[in-house]
Amino acid sequence: MDFEIDHAAPGAPLPDLEILELWNASFGPEFQLSEALWLQNTTLDPSFNPADIILARDETGKLAGFAQAKVFRDTASYSGDDLPKIVRRGHIAAIAVLPEYRRQGLGQTLLTETEAYLVENGANYFYAGENFRHYFPGVPKHSAEALAFFQANGYSLGVVEVDLDGPLDPEVYEPIIDSARQVTFRQGLPGDETALYEFLKRSFPGRWFYDTRLYLEQGGLLEDISLVFDHAGIVQGFLVSYRPGGKIIGPGRFWLTGNREWGGIGPLGLSPEMRGLGAGLGVVGAGMRHLHEHGLKFARIDWTTLVDFYGKAGFKPSLTYQRASKPALS
């Protein structure tokens, strides 16, 4: 069958509902896409260009497959010294083909078109997922078909990343909080922005500073950020948590949109001088307590390799992903 491949046109409305229907028919039940997450990762992403969306239609005009490319364009807002590398990364944020159109070469065609587009936009390396405003930190590992597809197209498989699930149990998180030394924890309050930004610029000036500032600018709440203070009252760490109904859908809640009992946790980071004091696990406990106090029973931590660390707070692996990448050919 012949397919018409085209990029979404600037100024024209995206076929959002068609893409949502295609996605949810193509991916398994664990990765059902909500309209809110789709909009967050397209029109609400400062780096988004409608041409990033590549559409494949069959002879009747039906949407048979699509891909979403991602490159980082919001350079004026990024303060990390890794910016020269960031802007050269091309990401295949998503690629999907309806089951009835598979094994006809359409996935290959979409990937080839996406890679060519990324090169045109300055990419010198390709990544499956991992992008700003991402869906996945890699290829879902339980999908042998997806892993084989990327391997067959020259992608090398790398680190395995996991999502972790756990109960919000006071008998677990209270001792963790109490065991931290020389630090205190509290949720963010109005006026804490400056201190938080100073900490992030000092310790995590790249992606975490960028993501956290965008989170707050687009309506995320300071009270959902757990802060770590040293004895002098200086912010030395943070953890972002997410609740149902928030303006920003946190990665831990990407695939739990309809579940009102689940929150999301992460990212978290500490300044180097705070490590070894129990502050890292302590701020996890603070985030757990915050979510539990708002009526939630469970939480998911996304995109990590720290299984043993988070296991101390009762979290266990749920979803797994394998990083996949390859250099762009000149």
Side-chain angles (χ1 to χ4, degrees), residues 35 40 171 248 265 298 311:
E35 183 178 10
Q40 180 172 291
E171 294 186 2
I248 305 298
I265 289 177
F298 307 95

Side-chain angles (χ1 to χ4, degrees), residues 13 22 24 43 54 80 134 145 153 183 185 194 208 233 244 249:
L22 183 146
N24 291 330
T43 56
I54 301 164
H134 67 286
E145 183 179 12
N153 283 282
V183 295
F185 310 104
T194 299
W208 282 357
I249 304 172

Side-chain angles (χ1 to χ4, degrees), residues 213-230:
R213 185 168 62 182
L214 184 61
Y215 161 85
L216 291 172
E217 288 176 350
Q218 293 192 344
L221 300 178
L222 261 173
E223 69 179 85
D224 286 333
I225 300 179
S226 304
L227 300 175
V228 182
F229 294 88
D230 64 14

Side-chain angles (χ1 to χ4, degrees), residues 39 214 254 263 271 279 308:
L39 295 176
L214 184 61
F254 279 178
S271 57
D308 292 340

